[in-house]
Amino acid sequence: MSAKTILNHYTRLLTLWPRDLLRPNLPFTRTIEHHGAPFGLKPLERSPQETAPKNATPVPAPTSPPNPAAEQAQVNALFSLLENRYSKKYPFSEGVLKPASAPEHYKRLMAEIERAPGKTWWQAKVDEWKGKIRWT
């Protein structure tokens, strides 16, 4: 496998990888960019939300020359995650996502995760306080 092929795979992964709406300041694409940098991968343009935190220290580039054969396994693993290969191969049973003790738990959790990016700071704080108060 050539370095150019690895570069093309990493570039494709960057374009296909979904955005993390819950944590826009910590996108997984930064990790992909870091692994592809020795092969000549150029970082994506960042949106204002994706700027690096002020206290973040840059990760140094690897000093050893890139090994395309070893990197191919990394690329394959990323594509398998992107395609949900494991959730298709090992599907969940109904009981996992709807436990008898709280059958609506995961449904409410996913709804909260979908609402989270649109919340203001104040709404997030109010929800946090609501979570700490036990209503009987």
Side-chain angles (χ1 to χ4, degrees), residues 24-130:
N25 59 331
L26 298 170
F28 187 72
T29 52
R30 285 190 196 157
T31 304
I32 296 171
E33 291 170 356
H34 176 72
H35 278 275
F39 296 94
L41 182 67
K42 302 287 186 234
L44 293 174
E45 289 186 26
R46 306 235 187 273
S47 68
Q49 293 177 332
E50 293 181 17
T51 56
K54 292 179 177 121
N55 59 358
T57 57
V59 179
T63 55
S64 62
N67 181 354
E71 203 66 30
Q72 182 61 37
Q74 302 294 327
V75 169
N76 286 341
L78 288 171
F79 273 113
S80 69
L81 290 173
L82 188 63
E83 297 165 357
N84 291 326
R85 221 177 278 170
Y86 304 107
S87 63
K88 291 175 185 172
K89 187 174 181 178
Y90 306 105
F92 288 132
S93 67
E94 275 295 310
V96 172
L97 295 177
K98 292 186 178 185
S101 61
E104 298 295 315
H105 174 73
Y106 290 106
K107 187 176 177 181
R108 287 192 308 256
L109 180 64
M110 289 307 295
E112 179 62 27
I113 288 173
E114 289 170 4
R115 277 194 310 269
K119 286 184 182 180
T120 64
W121 177 86
W122 179 250
Q123 290 170 325
K125 275 297 177 195
V126 168
D127 284 349
E128 181 183 338
W129 293 332
K130 284 181 185 177

